[in-house]
Amino acid sequence: MGRPAKFSEDQILDAALAVTAEDGPAAATVGAIARRLGAPTGSIYHRFGSRDLLLATLWARCVRRFQEGFVTALAADDAESAALHTPRWCRSHPDEAAVLLLHRRQDLVAEWPDRFAALNRESVDALNAFAGRHPGLDRERLVFATVDVPYGAVRRHLLDRRPPPPAVDDLIVTACRAVLSEPAEDRLDGLRSVGQVGEDHFRA
């Protein structure tokens, strides 16, 4: 029987997050993460196999943590709160929000399908369930209002390494109400192309 691991996966990921937040993703080498944690580099390679997989796993953990509040808001039938979850979470978790810019889900699925294929399942199920409870609501409009608009609104602020300002919330609410209040037959085909912006974190 082997010895239990001295450091858990979350501890390793916490160290990777700290290095990334302080010095940027390029500085998050296995050696730097090991030094931060006080662990031998071999133990990290044994757990993850490569730096790329370690950072991909960190990204996936950030996505899951972000999606928890989104799913909760949709389950409560509150589309506006679901939309506002994005800027609020980014302000409360700036280091993890910055990590979300590092990858796209489809790239990780192509590399490690067993690990990441089901990453967005709960969010997709929540969106489907919300649309099912509101048969007059077009699902594409729901995704645009609660996913694509908030993601687009915060992205440039995250790229500048600053939290989205409070004014973003008002703009998101205005857009959310406008998109969800229009009848389905008046929807614009353009929403389908613009709506690709935020799909990496939510769609199957």
Side-chain angles (χ1 to χ4, degrees):
M1 182 176 179
R3 292 183 302 172
K6 184 177 180 181
F7 299 100
S8 69
E9 178 172 298
D10 275 332
Q11 287 176 309
I12 296 173
L13 296 179
D14 287 343
L17 177 63
V19 174
T20 300
E22 291 176 6
D23 301 314
T29 63
V30 170
I33 295 167
R35 287 192 295 274
R36 181 80 182 209
L37 190 60
T41 57
S43 65
I44 295 178
Y45 277 117
H46 178 74
R47 179 67 66 91
F48 291 99
S50 70
R51 171 183 180 271
D52 288 344
L53 180 56
L54 192 163
L55 294 182
T57 305
L58 172 62
W59 179 86
R61 188 183 73 167
C62 293
V63 169
R64 291 188 184 98
R65 290 180 173 181
F66 165 76
Q67 290 179 354
E68 289 174 359
F70 178 79
V71 169
T72 298
L74 288 177
D77 262 357
D78 193 339
E80 285 186 17
S81 289
L84 287 172
H85 174 67
T86 295
R88 290 170 176 172
W89 189 88
C90 289
R91 283 193 288 268
S92 299
H93 304 82
D95 295 342
E96 290 179 290
V99 169
L100 294 182
L101 299 175
L102 298 182
H103 297 290
R104 298 190 309 163
R105 187 185 68 88
Q106 57 263 44
D107 295 334
L108 302 188
V109 171
E111 186 73 19
W112 300 285
D114 293 341
R115 280 181 172 258
F116 303 116
L119 181 61
N120 292 339
R121 185 67 50 76
E122 289 188 10
S123 291
V124 170
D125 289 346
L127 287 163
N128 289 340
F130 187 101
R133 293 192 300 271
H134 301 272
L137 174 65
D138 178 64
R139 185 186 183 280
E140 197 67 21
R141 288 171 104 45
L142 176 65
V143 173
F144 186 81
T146 62
V147 178
D148 300 330
V149 167
Y151 179 79
V154 304
R155 188 173 187 275
R156 66 186 177 91
H157 300 289
L158 299 182
L159 287 171
D160 289 338
R161 300 187 66 82
R162 54 191 174 90
V168 165
D169 296 27
D170 293 335
L171 297 174
I172 289 173
V173 169
T174 298
C176 183
R177 290 176 179 174
V179 170
L180 296 182
S181 65
E182 293 185 20
E185 59 267 21
D186 292 337
R187 62 183 175 272
L188 300 176
D189 291 339
L191 291 179
R192 299 189 181 279
S193 58
V194 176
Q196 297 298 314
V197 173
E199 70 176 1
D200 291 339
H201 301 318
F202 295 96
R203 297 192 188 182

